[in-house]
Amino acid sequence: MRRASPARLLAACLLAAALAEPASAQSAPEASNMRLVGSHDLQARSAYQPTIHRQGERWILYVGHHGGTEAEPRPLNPLTGQPEFNGTSILDVTDPARPIYLAHVPGEPGLDEDGGAQMVRVCDGRGLKNADPAAFYMLRTQGNAGHQIFDVSDPARPKLLARIPAGHTHKNWWECDTGIAYLVSGNQPPWRVRRMTQVFDLNDPAQPKHIRDFGLPGQQIKDGETPSQQHGEHGAIPTELHGGISTGPAGNRIYFGYGTNAGGIVQIVDRRKLIEGPAAPTDENLRAPELGRLVMSPLVGAHTAYPLPGMTIPDFARDAKGATRDMVMIVDEALKNECREEARQLVWFADITVESQPMVVSNFTVPEAAGSFCSRGGRFGSHSSNESMAPVFYGKLAFIAWFNAGVRALDIRNPYRPREVGFYIPAITERTAPRCVTADGQPRCKRAIQTNNVESDERGYVYIVDRANTGVHILEVTGEARGIAGLP
């Protein structure tokens, strides 16, 4: 039987979505202890990472985008009147009820994760040793071609300063107080995974300095080997990197998450040893900074590893070992539509007080029956958490992007017993792109919210962005959730 062309399949999917029963659509928002403050459609571009940065008296939102789709590889930018490959949206959210779209910076040609500029971070120049202290700088991925650094002192007119060539990119981390960046790159050779870590000194944003490459032993190519050699003394190649979060010099730890929806690994690394250790990627040099490793079930991944050091567990107050525990929150990523072909992806809390022997002690998931989510269309399951460590929410509330179940607010004050205290699921719009599966040999498509990533700011606002082109929604917590955060 001849396979349908991608264009013909897409057309069939769009038709199926148009004919879908209205009952399957998320035509109205659903909420508990969270409310909508403002929104923007982001020019109907598929969104990944939101980053909010204070620039003087303004609050600027930077949103990284995946590449376009076959139906619309270059959406229209109304500011320029031109179709542009997806890149980075920049908005003024000083008044979160009235976001102002300032600029779209086109990214790399390509569809979905092969193009665009999905990851974005921003730092003040005053925290960087060799930068203009009055300036602001943006680090973003350039599709799978590398990384770019811009001067965004005027966020409406970004200026390109430097480019770092690399392979398959993803979720970077940039320490704004030291200038050290941990870039997810595909540096082949001497690596045989799509994603590993490249450590860079970006104190002079116009002159990036490479420090070293890092990953799990067995991911690098050894002398005399070729990239095609998949086995050897290490067995199968370890799961590729997804991203890392650093606690900087004070905490001296980096938490790397490997895997997406399978083969998850959380690696605890001594930051100083990573930066100052020998650069050659030998097994010995790669093992040296590692303090501990949590190997998860092969059924789940580790998209985000969010550190929660020094948590007080109230029920342990009278224990001989005390009530303080170091924790890490691990978020998996669901990949498949309508709960097909994979295990449920959710949130795990691991006690890492003894770093050499981490242990999962609790988990959280959204009950499928609470909204018949598997039948709504698109992905259902966790993806990512907010990553801000601002005091307003840190150690109290965590926000988890849950695709068609929107964003979920968790009370994490006792990570041994996390509980949901709020949620917000936006309504679909005419710009929400359909998500399809094959049923009985035919495409079945539905329009569903796909809350992809979430971040919070120091003021207490929560920003969620949609993978299915529905834009950004700016939220605030209410009721019990607001009381937990201590907000007026």
Side-chain angles (χ1 to χ4, degrees):
M1 184 176 72
R2 188 177 67 179
R3 294 181 61 186
S5 69
R8 192 170 292 179
L9 179 61
L10 178 64
C13 289
L14 292 172
L15 177 60
L19 298 176
E21 291 294 325
S24 69
Q26 296 165 301
S27 55
E30 304 165 56
S32 172
N33 286 335
M34 299 187 79
R35 78 171 190 91
L36 180 67
V37 177
S39 64
H40 195 282
D41 69 3
L42 300 179
Q43 301 180 352
R45 301 179 190 272
S46 175
Y48 186 75
Q49 182 66 29
T51 292
I52 307 93
H53 201 81
R54 185 172 185 176
Q55 298 186 201
E57 297 305 312
R58 304 168 74 189
W59 293 83
I60 306 299
L61 170 65
Y62 298 82
V63 181
H65 295 290
H66 303 107
T69 64
E70 288 187 358
E72 197 168 14
R74 300 171 67 192
L76 177 70
N77 178 0
L79 296 180
T80 64
Q82 299 297 319
E84 296 174 354
F85 288 110
N86 286 358
T88 309
S89 288
I90 305 177
L91 296 85
D92 187 325
V93 291
T94 307
D95 180 355
R98 296 174 179 80
I100 301 171
Y101 200 97
L102 300 176
H104 174 255
V105 186
E108 193 73 1
L111 306 182
D112 195 40
E113 292 194 1
D114 289 331
Q118 61 186 335
M119 191 63 212
V120 59
R121 301 290 189 193
V122 179
C123 285
D124 292 1
R126 67 173 180 266
L128 307 177
K129 297 176 183 176
N130 301 310
D132 180 349
F136 298 88
Y137 300 94
M138 177 180 78
L139 166 69
R140 74 169 192 174
T141 56
Q142 183 189 357
N144 286 323
H147 310 270
Q148 295 175 318
I149 305 171
F150 290 79
D151 183 327
V152 288
S153 302
D154 180 352
R157 296 172 179 82
K159 300 176 182 177
L160 179 64
L161 298 177
R163 178 177 178 270
I164 302 171
H168 205 286
T169 66
H170 206 50
K171 199 169 179 62
N172 300 328
W173 187 267
W174 191 8
E175 297 175 358
C176 289
D177 55 346
T178 71
I180 302 299
Y182 309 91
L183 307 182
V184 178
S185 302
N187 185 21
Q188 297 185 356
W191 294 80
R192 50 188 181 183
V193 287
R194 294 187 312 162
R195 297 171 179 166
M196 37 69 74
T197 300
Q198 291 193 292
V199 185
F200 270 81
D201 180 343
L202 301 184
N203 274 291
D204 182 349
Q207 299 290 331
K209 295 180 180 179
H210 180 240
I211 296 175
R212 70 175 294 184
D213 295 340
F214 184 72
L216 301 176
Q219 293 180 335
Q220 82 278 35
I221 297 173
K222 293 186 172 184
D223 291 342
E225 292 183 337
T226 66
S228 62
Q229 289 179 291
Q230 299 294 303
H231 300 278
E233 63 179 275
H234 302 289
I237 298 172
T239 309
E240 70 183 15
L241 177 71
H242 202 281
I245 295 178
S246 171
T247 61
N252 193 38
R253 294 292 182 269
I254 307 169
Y255 300 87
F256 289 110
Y258 296 81
T260 302
N261 68 334
I265 297 172
V266 175
Q267 184 187 36
I268 306 170
V269 168
D270 184 302
R271 175 189 177 277
R272 182 182 60 79
K273 289 182 179 179
L274 174 65
I275 295 171
E276 298 178 5
T282 65
D283 283 5
E284 181 182 4
N285 291 345
L286 295 179
R287 290 192 185 103
E290 182 177 304
L291 298 169
R293 183 187 298 193
L294 174 63
V295 178
M296 303 178 70
S297 163
L299 298 176
V300 299
H303 178 286
T304 306
Y306 182 67
L308 296 164
M311 296 292 289
T312 299
I313 313 301
D315 196 48
F316 298 173
R318 300 181 64 184
D319 290 7
K321 295 294 184 179
T324 302
R325 296 288 187 273
D326 293 331
M327 309 291 298
V328 64
M329 182 176 71
I330 306 159
V331 187
D332 313 330
E333 178 181 358
L335 287 183
K336 304 298 183 180
N337 294 335
E338 299 189 22
C339 304
R340 293 174 165 227
E341 303 175 20
E342 67 179 349
R344 182 67 50 81
Q345 304 298 307
L346 55 154
V347 179
W348 310 88
F349 290 83
D351 188 324
I352 58 169
T353 307
V354 180
E355 291 179 306
S356 61
Q357 294 180 290
M359 181 177 71
V360 170
V361 296
S362 64
N363 64 59
F364 169 78
T365 188
V366 177
E368 194 279 329
S372 298
F373 293 108
C374 287
S375 61
R376 287 194 182 197
R379 304 185 196 183
F380 168 62
S382 59
H383 181 201
S384 64
S385 72
N386 66 311
E387 297 173 350
S388 171
M389 298 180 191
V392 61
F393 294 129
Y394 191 51
K396 295 178 283 187
L397 289 176
F399 301 94
I400 314 296
W402 216 277
F403 289 116
N404 69 10
V407 63
R408 319 304 287 200
L410 303 187
D411 177 355
I412 59 169
R413 292 174 296 176
N414 181 355
Y416 271 69
R417 295 181 180 273
R419 65 188 186 96
E420 184 175 279
V421 292
F423 64 84
Y424 188 88
I425 308 174
I428 62 170
T429 71
E430 69 281 356
R431 309 198 81 170
T432 304
R435 292 293 187 262
C436 304
V437 297
T438 300
D440 299 323
Q442 299 296 321
R444 180 178 71 205
C445 304
K446 299 176 182 179
R447 297 183 188 273
I449 284 298
Q450 296 286 268
T451 299
N452 203 45
N453 286 64
V454 54
E455 187 54 289
S456 55
D457 71 17
E458 299 168 30
R459 300 176 295 176
Y461 294 111
V462 179
Y463 302 74
I464 60 174
V465 296
D466 189 73
R467 194 180 190 101
N469 307 359
T470 316
V472 59
H473 296 82
I474 306 173
L475 313 170
E476 66 179 4
V477 290
T478 62
E480 181 186 9
R482 195 168 187 85
I484 291 170
L487 289 165

